[in-house]
Amino acid sequence: MSLFDKFQPIIEIRAELEKAGVMPFGAVTEKILSPTEAIVNGHKVILAGTNNYLGLTFDPECIAAAKQAVEEQGTGTTGSRMANGTFAEHVKLEQELAAFFDRKHSIVFSTGYAATMGMGSTLAGPGDVILMDADSHASIYDGVRLGGADMVRFRHNDTADLEKRLRRLGERAANTLIIVEGIYSMMGDQAPLKEIAAIKREYGGMLMVDEAHSLGMLGAHGRGVAEAAGVEDDVDFVVGTFSKSLGATGGYCVSNHPELEAVRFAIRSYIFTASPSPSVIASTRVALRLMQERPQLRERLWENAHRLHAGLKRLGLQVSPQVSPVVAVTIKNRDQAIAWWNELLQRGAYVNLVMPPASPTRDSLLRCSVSAAHSIEQVDRIVEAFAALQTSAAVG
Amino acid sequence: MPDYNDFLNRIYEVLKPFAKHGLILNEDSELVTELGLTSLQVMELIEQIEDHFDISVPLNILPDIRTIQDLAKQLEKLSN
């Protein structure tokens, strides 16, 4: 017996991939050329799986703000928010986030993972219940496990199953936290939030929605699925990240509950880690403003999402059922998924390879995500790369 | 209220397809190492039991479950 025994399955898969000459989980971006192009493993590629939804990573205003922050405030805060790491700009970003979401309270975290994991682990503890969608992100699972609440899953997007489980809880429904995502990260499908909110109203408990993949995309102001569904008042906590639409790193939680200000000082992932660097906060603040000032980014994003989804569907591929900026192609055979991922890279399209258990089913995924910065021509080239795969598979 | 044997019999029923190569399921059968269930299949097993008995099983019990007996005992505890 060794500490390493449990890693044997990973060791075997790595050896298999190495033998095949493919290392999908170790691909190196050698040079980043723009929000949508890079040199990866020696290939010039279109970035087709970066979650850089609004394409703001190279925006001149964001870059200028980050540069200025580095010069004026240094490279890092070197401390936690509760010690020496709260700068005026962290507080300003919290105020701006609260204003954007039209909520009274807001917390900024160092990563999206820390935000989701921290809220999940802190809000519900021993004796409480967490009712979570089965397809929830790993950060939700990890947080819930740490917190010690009874952790109950309901079937993905199945509101009847959610209702059944709340009914079974009886009086315990009152101290239950329901956790769902706005847009699910792997398949790009949306939570039926209108129905979920109605169930919560009937049975009680609180609702937390992770809008990591929907910020800036949905709702009149771009606040996400809750806004689009018209149920923001039923959502007690919104969590999310700066690392997608806002092109940086970091996370947040916003809420109207005044208790959030007390909860803040109980969240270990907030207390025991260094606060976000000044440059990150600076570019995030600008990106948050630009996201609101430039609705055209959102329009471009959705045009691209529809174009990619339709293009891949036309090829006869098994594409995510709901059109979204996340477009996943399901591949039953894992080896084929690996081979296709590699071939796509060589043909100039860099997508995400997702294998179980990271994928929500037993199948593998070639997960794409579009950006507002993709040109129509780039989207078409991604589709062409998939089309060429099918041709070569047919010939082979 | 279902008891230990009710849960045990249901688990046997659900796990029938995993009893390959003449393997006879018993209380000591190990779900992962012996029957080869993946984590996804363990979740599916739990879901089927939940539906049948109209109960919710917290995932927190999973680390304590290795065998069919462990699972049946935990389910009995939950339903009391």
Side-chain angles (χ1 to χ4, degrees), chain A residues 150-337:
Chain A
D150 281 353
M151 178 181 178
V152 176
R153 302 185 339 159
F154 64 93
R155 291 179 172 91
H156 175 55
N157 274 351
D158 185 337
T159 51
D161 198 36
L162 169 66
E163 182 167 12
K164 197 164 61 183
R165 289 169 191 277
L166 273 166
R167 173 183 52 74
R168 286 174 188 154
L169 285 169
E171 286 178 3
R172 292 188 78 198
N175 59 325
T176 293
L177 176 67
I178 303 163
I179 307 181
V180 298
E181 296 179 25
I183 288 181
Y184 283 85
S185 59
M186 288 296 120
M187 301 299 286
D189 50 340
Q190 291 176 27
L193 266 190
K194 211 178 176 93
E195 292 80 1
I196 290 171
I199 293 167
K200 180 216 139 178
R201 275 199 298 276
E202 189 182 340
Y203 289 89
M206 289 192 179
L207 175 60
M208 183 163 97
V209 180
D210 182 352
E211 299 270 19
H213 290 269
S214 33
L215 176 68
M217 289 179 203
L218 291 159
H221 300 87
R223 295 200 286 252
V225 176
E227 187 185 23
V231 295
E232 286 181 291
D233 287 347
D234 296 297
V235 176
D236 298 275
F237 306 95
V238 177
V239 288
T241 178
F242 307 142
S243 64
K244 297 175 173 53
S245 302
L246 302 180
T249 57
Y252 60 88
C253 174
V254 294
S255 174
N256 278 330
H257 291 290
E259 291 85 353
L260 188 70
E261 296 304 334
V263 173
R264 175 195 295 265
F265 299 113
I267 307 169
R268 298 175 69 83
S269 67
Y270 171 84
I271 304 169
F272 296 104
T273 193
S275 63
S277 298
S279 57
V280 167
I281 295 294
S283 76
T284 300
R285 290 181 62 205
V286 174
L288 182 63
R289 175 171 57 78
L290 295 179
M291 184 176 82
Q292 296 167 76
E293 287 175 359
R294 299 181 188 165
Q296 65 272 24
L297 291 176
R298 204 166 125 182
E299 286 161 24
R300 284 282 313 125
L301 175 71
W302 279 102
E303 279 167 23
N304 286 341
H306 279 281
R307 195 173 184 90
L308 182 63
H309 191 274
L312 295 179
K313 205 171 168 186
R314 244 190 333 268
L315 296 177
L317 293 164
Q318 190 182 332
V319 188
S320 328
Q322 202 167 1
V323 177
S324 113
V326 175
V327 186
V329 175
T330 297
I331 313 280
K332 299 264 176 224
N333 181 303
R334 194 190 76 178
D335 292 340
Q336 186 185 34

Side-chain angles (χ1 to χ4, degrees), chain B residues 58-71:
Chain B
L59 300 188
N60 315 50
I61 66 161
L62 290 181
D64 296 325
I65 293 169
R66 265 182 42 230
T67 64
I68 287 176
Q69 184 185 56
D70 295 337
L71 179 57

Side-chain angles (χ1 to χ4, degrees), chain B residues 10-52:
Chain B
R10 191 67 208 166
I11 296 168
Y12 285 151
E13 189 63 32
V14 178
L15 287 179
K16 252 186 201 163
F18 292 92
K20 288 170 193 151
H21 313 300
L23 190 79
I24 295 166
L25 294 174
N26 62 56
E27 286 164 272
D28 295 325
S29 301
E30 296 199 3
L31 299 173
V32 176
T33 51
E34 204 173 333
L35 303 178
L37 266 69
T38 63
S39 54
L40 199 63
Q41 286 166 329
V42 171
M43 293 317 305
E44 285 166 1
L45 162 69
I46 301 276
E47 281 178 355
Q48 289 194 46
I49 291 166
E50 287 177 319
D51 287 345
H52 185 82

Side-chain angles (χ1 to χ4, degrees), chain A residues 60-71 74 278-280 282-283 286:
Chain A
E61 280 191 60
C62 292
I63 290 175
K67 274 184 181 170
Q68 192 183 342
V70 166
E71 280 167 12
S279 57
V280 167
S283 76
V286 174

